[in-house]
């Protein structure tokens, strides 16, 4: 089969092909970016709104990362506080036992005092050395 082109229809075909290629390029651009608005020609007001929303989203994502990091620091501080509180609770129990020392020997009182001192030192060590990412 032989195709004979009509020279008079060629400019119109060329124009249609150019328009179709431009539309295909726009469609491919939208598909590849996932956005309907990619430049001012697609809708100037929509582009401004889209850019504003993108900036706001980036800001919210950054704030979320900061809040997560602060949450981790608070969790770490809470764990250190709980551990030190446990130590002080042990010291308190030993102090109560010493206060009710009827029938206790000096060695038992000394042992309780050593337990109190040790618990207090351990709690102080935790309070003085607890750090998260190099920050106290």
């Amino acid at each position: 089969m032989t195709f004979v082109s009509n020279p008079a229809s060629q400019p119109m075909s060329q124009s249609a092909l150019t328009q179709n290629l431009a539309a295909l390029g726009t469609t491919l651009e939208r598909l590849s970016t996932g956005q309907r608005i990619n430049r001012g020609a697609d809708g100037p007001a929509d582009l401004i709104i889209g850019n504003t929303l993108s900036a706001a989203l980036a800001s919210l994502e950054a704030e979320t990362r900061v809040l997560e990091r602060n949450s981790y620091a608070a969790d770490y501080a809470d764990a250190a506080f709980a551990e030190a509180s446990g130590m002080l609770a042990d010291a308190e129990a030993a102090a109560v036992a010493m206060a009710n020392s009827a029938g206790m020997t000096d060695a038992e009182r000394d042992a309780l005092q050593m337990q109190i001192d040790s618990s207090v030192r351990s709690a102080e060590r935790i309070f003085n050395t607890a750090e998260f990412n190099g920050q106290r």
Side-chain angles (χ1 to χ4, degrees):
M1 174 179 212
T2 315
F3 179 74
V4 179
S5 77
N6 181 352
S9 67
Q10 192 169 9
M12 192 158 65
S13 304
Q14 187 74 27
S15 174
L17 178 63
T18 302
Q19 288 176 352
N20 285 337
L21 286 175
L24 177 64
T26 301
T27 301
L28 287 175
E29 179 183 25
R30 288 178 180 163
L31 283 172
S32 66
T33 63
Q35 298 178 351
R36 185 180 69 82
I37 307 295
N38 291 301
R39 53 189 124 93
D42 296 333
D46 293 337
L47 182 64
I48 291 169
I49 291 168
N51 287 343
T52 302
L53 290 175
S54 293
L57 179 62
S59 174
L60 288 173
E61 287 172 345
E63 288 176 18
T64 300
R65 286 189 299 274
V66 168
L67 290 174
E68 286 174 350
R69 190 168 189 73
N70 289 341
S71 176
Y72 297 146
D75 289 346
Y76 182 81
D78 187 44
F81 180 74
E83 185 68 25
S85 292
M87 302 276 178
L88 294 176
D90 291 344
E92 180 183 19
V96 168
M98 271 183 64
N100 300 318
S101 62
M104 241 186 230
T105 65
D106 287 342
E108 289 174 320
R109 277 190 216 95
D110 289 343
L112 286 172
Q113 186 60 52
M114 285 175 48
Q115 181 182 351
I116 293 169
D117 294 342
S118 175
S119 294
V120 169
R121 277 195 307 273
S122 294
E124 285 176 343
R125 180 184 51 77
I126 290 170
F127 285 133
N128 291 329
T129 62
E131 290 183 359
F132 180 78
N133 240 6
Q135 292 186 348
R136 302 188 95 199

